[in-house]
Amino acid sequence: MKVNYKHIADDELLKRFRQYNDKMAFGILFKRYLPLLLGTCKRYLKSPEDAEDLVMELYEKCADILKSSSEIEFLKTYLFVVAKNAALGKLRSKKILIEYQDIVKLEVEEEKNNQLILKNKKELDLLNGMKLLTQEQRLCVEHFYFKKMRYKQVAEVLGMDVKQVKTHLQNGKRMLKNYLLKSGNHGK
């Protein structure tokens, strides 16, 4: 039986690769992020050929690292950082001088990516905080804040009265705020 990998989520492909050494799963996963890797390497190296060569090197490196490390939570961000660092390392090894403007552009890009990493951490903290809520609180918060439903709509969907929805939202919001404060996100 042939498996159609194209519709499988990244984390499931990564799991298959780690547990069963499924090289096809890794190949599909790497192919999904190939444009990101190539674009990142081209941006730094300014040479399509050098970028392609580096991405081929990264294929082996990423396979080894992803196989052994279970700490990688945000694959896209991780792959971007690996490609960026590899490209910068290649530049350093060739002792290529980059014009001042290019350095400034790269620093701006890096700051944007650091913001993305911070955003991903905040989202992860929020998801972990949601796990602490009761089922009713979690459902009310999801419908009201994430699905942008009104109190009455949430009440109808969940089979509650509006007062119950408001109570669950208030308690859930308070618990999330306390959790985020303790996890270091300061409720932002």
Side-chain angles (χ1 to χ4, degrees):
M1 183 173 91
K2 188 173 180 180
V3 178
N4 185 358
Y5 289 92
K6 292 181 181 183
H7 303 292
I8 299 176
D10 289 354
D11 38 335
E12 181 60 30
L13 287 171
L14 191 55
K15 181 179 173 187
R16 286 177 185 226
F17 175 62
R18 285 179 178 151
Q19 287 182 348
Y20 309 113
N21 197 27
D22 187 341
K23 297 199 185 318
M24 182 70 134
F26 177 73
I28 296 293
L29 199 56
F30 196 81
K31 188 176 180 181
R32 284 183 187 172
Y33 292 102
L34 191 59
L36 170 77
L37 296 169
L38 270 172
T40 301
C41 291
K42 282 179 188 176
R43 185 179 312 123
Y44 287 88
L45 298 176
K46 308 291 188 219
S47 163
E49 295 81 21
D50 288 345
E52 288 174 12
D53 291 344
L54 185 57
V55 169
M56 293 312 296
E57 291 173 28
L58 289 176
Y59 181 86
E60 293 296 323
K61 181 179 180 181
C62 287
D64 292 340
I65 292 171
L66 290 174
K67 181 97 172 126
S68 62
S69 176
S70 62
E71 297 176 14
I72 299 164
E73 294 182 41
F74 302 105
L75 184 63
K76 183 178 181 178
T77 306
Y78 169 76
L79 290 174
F80 171 81
V81 171
V82 167
K84 177 191 71 158
N85 289 342
L88 289 173
K90 190 151 191 100
L91 288 175
R92 275 187 230 109
S93 70
K94 286 185 172 184
K95 297 187 189 292
I96 295 174
L97 297 176
I98 302 174
E99 295 176 19
Y100 177 74
Q101 289 177 338
D102 289 341
I103 292 172
V104 171
K105 284 181 192 175
L106 295 177
E107 287 174 352
V108 168
E109 288 285 329
E110 190 168 338
E111 180 59 30
K112 285 180 186 176
N113 291 313
N114 288 340
Q115 292 299 321
L116 176 66
I117 291 169
L118 183 60
K119 180 182 178 218
N120 285 341
K121 182 189 179 333
K122 288 181 180 180
E123 288 173 359
L124 182 62
D125 284 345
L126 181 61
L127 289 173
N128 286 334
M130 292 287 287
K131 292 176 185 175
L132 300 175
L133 303 180
T134 65
Q135 181 177 356
E136 293 84 6
Q137 290 169 343
R138 188 172 53 257
L139 288 171
C140 287
V141 168
E142 286 172 357
H143 284 80
F144 187 78
Y145 290 106
F146 298 119
K147 295 181 181 176
K148 305 292 186 200
M149 293 180 161
R150 300 189 181 278
Y151 292 116
K152 188 174 180 182
Q153 292 172 313
V154 175
E156 289 172 5
V157 169
L158 298 179
M160 300 177 184
D161 65 33
V162 174
K163 284 185 179 183
Q164 286 177 305
V165 170
K166 287 181 179 181
T167 300
H168 290 306
L169 280 171
Q170 183 179 17
N171 291 336
K173 191 172 145 184
R174 184 184 70 248
M175 288 179 69
L176 279 174
K177 179 182 174 186
N178 289 338
Y179 175 79
L180 291 173
L181 285 171
K182 286 179 185 174
S183 71
N185 269 329
H186 309 294
K188 294 179 185 171

